[in-house]
Amino acid sequence: MLKINRSPLGKKNARHYRIVVAPENSKLTGKNVDLLGHFHPLVKSGDPTRLVLDKKKLASWISQG
């Protein structure tokens, strides 16, 4: 079974994340099936670069279950 997850990157107090599709039992930094986008929580909330997603890929994975 696959899940949409966050994969952490960066330093301890300056984290950013990749939004990935990964097997349910994989580690956070383990193998990924597909990369959907990225998330930077330290960027101001109004900035469009805080969350970047490929909406077509996301819709495709959600439609598959």
Side-chain angles (χ1 to χ4, degrees):
M1 179 169 248
L2 298 174
K3 288 179 18 177
I4 296 176
N5 243 351
R6 294 178 303 166
S7 179
L9 298 168
K11 296 180 182 180
K12 185 189 267 186
N13 293 321
R15 289 278 187 211
H16 55 279
Y17 301 93
R18 287 182 180 158
I19 311 294
V20 297
V21 176
E24 186 174 13
N25 58 355
S26 73
K27 296 180 180 179
L28 286 176
T29 57
K31 292 186 177 182
N32 301 321
V33 177
D34 199 4
L35 176 65
L36 300 178
H38 53 86
F39 173 62
H40 297 277
L42 298 177
V43 175
K44 293 182 182 179
S45 62
D47 194 353
T49 62
R50 183 174 185 180
L51 175 64
V52 177
L53 285 173
D54 185 346
K55 293 180 182 180
K56 290 181 183 178
K57 280 186 181 181
L58 180 64
S60 170
W61 280 107
I62 290 176
S63 70
Q64 292 178 16

